[in-house]
Amino acid sequence: MRARLALPLALVAAVSVVATACQSSSGKDGGGPDGKDTPKAASAAVDYNPQPYENVKDGGTYTTVGTFDDQGNPFNVNATLTASRVWGWYNADAITYSPTGEVQYNADYYSEVKVAVEGGDQKVTLTINPKAAFNDGTPIDWTAIKATWKANNGSDEDFAASSTDGYDQITSVERGENAKQAVISFKGVNASWSTLFTTFLHPKAATVENFNKAYVKKAHPEWGAGPYTVAKWDTHSGNITFARNPKWWGRKGKLDKRVYVNLESTAGVNAFKNGQLDYTSAVDAESLKQIKGLKGTEIRSGGSPFEYSLYFNTKSAVLSETAVRKAIAESVDRAQIAKIQFQGLDYKEPLPGSAVLYSFQKGYEDNVSAVLKHAPDEAGKELDAAGWKPGADGVRVKNGKKLEVGYTLLGDDPLGKATAGALAAMLKPAGIHLVIEKGDDADFSKILSDRRFDLFLSGNRSMDPFGARYLCDFYCSDRDSNITGAGTPALDKEIRATTEIADLDKQSAAVNKVERKALRQYAFLPLFSGPSTYGVKKGLANVGATIFNTPLPETVGWQK
């Protein structure tokens, strides 16, 4: 149920966008495709039938598609989102987030949290619940926090850690007033420190051998903690069953059983239609059509921390000119792109305005609209001023060279082809000829790393609500993750200064100001985001589209 939140943003191929169920029906400068009724923030931002613990029945079973991965330790570099979700059903969910990203401390683990900055350095004091213990009887205390830090801080490269970011900023983890208190000292400040200790490792699991190998196709419920524990872990079928944990000190889990059944996604849709599953994901318009209107079920659809953008390679000869990039950006009708992508999906949201924050988040500002408007007439003027003159065939020419820009299209997805065709039509009135260049999905990483493109459509999924800390990944000139190649050392300095701001509100304000400067390089254009959409049996509580939120396992169940 929970995704580990300390992972970096991962670039994902986004030519076949509906495969991720991300969608938007955006309109010009924030309006819908029809120019009507578009909300100021992502509509139906959450849709998961939130119910207080008291409104959930005792008993019942909750069954979905899912299985264990080869690597079940979510801190390990080889773990996936699936491993994190399974982990969260029999290990600590000590810190979670609201749908829009506010930090929520679980008092069953951390009874008190204090954050202070002294002399420019941050100190976090975690007071751990006196009752908290791992299932093998080992008290959960400061040593678990220290063990988690040691395994992930990069000081011992034998640990195959997923990410050392943040952990490597910690200078020490020490015992506080007693063993139930951990004092974490940082060099400088880290406004998103909470992502580091949303869960933690049993000290026995934090040896190199166990960190890397103990959870490979195995569960270790004795090293876990929480309202549920492993009842059956079937390595043959891949099915997993969790049951109430008799050693749990908090509110008991409402469900008798929580079951993962190992099925492919298409088989999952059929199993949901047959009543075998309580919940399934609608990954595209076709699967949504199949599950919509089934008796005793409902569709839950809400916001999603995905965003798809057009990347401009500033290192290519044709896009090295800022005027050309700006003209392209002004020519692109983002609302039309969204309409193409999401035919058949009933959802509306505003156009995305930032690379790092979403419209449903506190601190979000529409930085794109502050810098750029859809203005095809202006695009022509930009090119005129830059010396690009209209040619006899309508394509502009400068110094004997035609204004031809490549667009790299991966695979044979119809929506990808339609999007490419639409972009070509949008750029034509400005005198820009879009050359659609086909590529293979398998070449995705190489195309980006080698910058073998002029224009490229790709997506990102934020793995935690602290998007401000990723500003450098998009815009710093010295970061490999900045695939546009844009940026300056002076801008890099301004971007990095935002990471030193401890107050999240002040950090967001600073990030918005700097991002507007970065967007004026016209090398990166957010296009659309979209929802998470699910089919759910009626009455299922605290399950569905939650954005950054992970409802605690003990609250999941069937509404009274």
Side-chain angles (χ1 to χ4, degrees), residues 48-49 61-64 271-280 291 294-300 534-544 557-559:
Y48 62 100
N49 188 22
T61 299
Y62 169 42
T63 304
T64 67
F272 180 76
K273 289 166 68 178
N274 295 334
Q276 295 168 269
L277 300 179
D278 301 311
Y279 164 100
T280 193
I291 64 175
L294 295 175
K295 187 177 180 181
T297 73
E298 61 188 14
I299 300 299
R300 296 182 186 171
Y534 309 97
V536 184
K537 283 187 181 176
K538 288 181 179 177
L540 189 58
N542 298 313
V543 170
W558 299 92
Q559 186 178 345

Side-chain angles (χ1 to χ4, degrees), residues 169-207:
Q169 197 183 341
I170 296 172
T171 55
S172 68
V173 176
E174 298 174 335
R175 175 187 169 118
E177 293 179 354
N178 54 51
K180 284 285 188 175
Q181 192 173 77
V183 180
I184 307 164
S185 298
F186 289 80
K187 179 177 174 56
V189 296
N190 188 324
S192 54
W193 72 267
S194 61
T195 64
L196 309 178
F197 299 105
T198 57
T199 189
F200 40 75
L201 294 164
H202 191 297
K204 288 182 180 178
T207 66

Side-chain angles (χ1 to χ4, degrees), residues 105-180:
Y105 302 117
N106 186 345
D108 284 328
Y109 297 101
Y110 301 147
S111 53
E112 187 178 47
V113 178
K114 290 184 178 179
V115 182
V117 178
E118 300 172 7
D121 293 326
Q122 182 171 296
K123 184 174 288 185
V124 176
T125 303
L126 299 177
T127 302
I128 298 162
N129 191 311
K131 297 178 182 179
F134 292 103
N135 292 333
D136 67 357
T138 303
I140 296 174
D141 61 18
W142 77 282
T143 61
I145 304 301
K146 183 178 182 179
T148 302
W149 165 57
K150 283 285 200 181
N152 289 284
N153 66 11
S155 61
D156 185 343
E157 293 183 358
D158 288 337
F159 285 96
S162 174
S163 175
T164 61
D165 287 349
Y167 297 105
D168 58 4
Q169 197 183 341
I170 296 172
T171 55
S172 68
V173 176
E174 298 174 335
R175 175 187 169 118
E177 293 179 354
N178 54 51
K180 284 285 188 175

Side-chain angles (χ1 to χ4, degrees), residues 321 323-328 330-331 378-390 396-398 403 427 429-432:
E321 284 188 58
V324 173
R325 300 196 302 270
K326 186 178 182 183
I328 292 171
E330 288 175 329
S331 297
E378 292 298 317
K381 295 175 184 177
E382 300 281 353
L383 295 172
D384 285 336
W388 288 95
K389 304 302 180 185
R396 290 179 181 264
V397 180
K398 182 178 179 180
L403 186 46
L427 299 186
I432 304 168

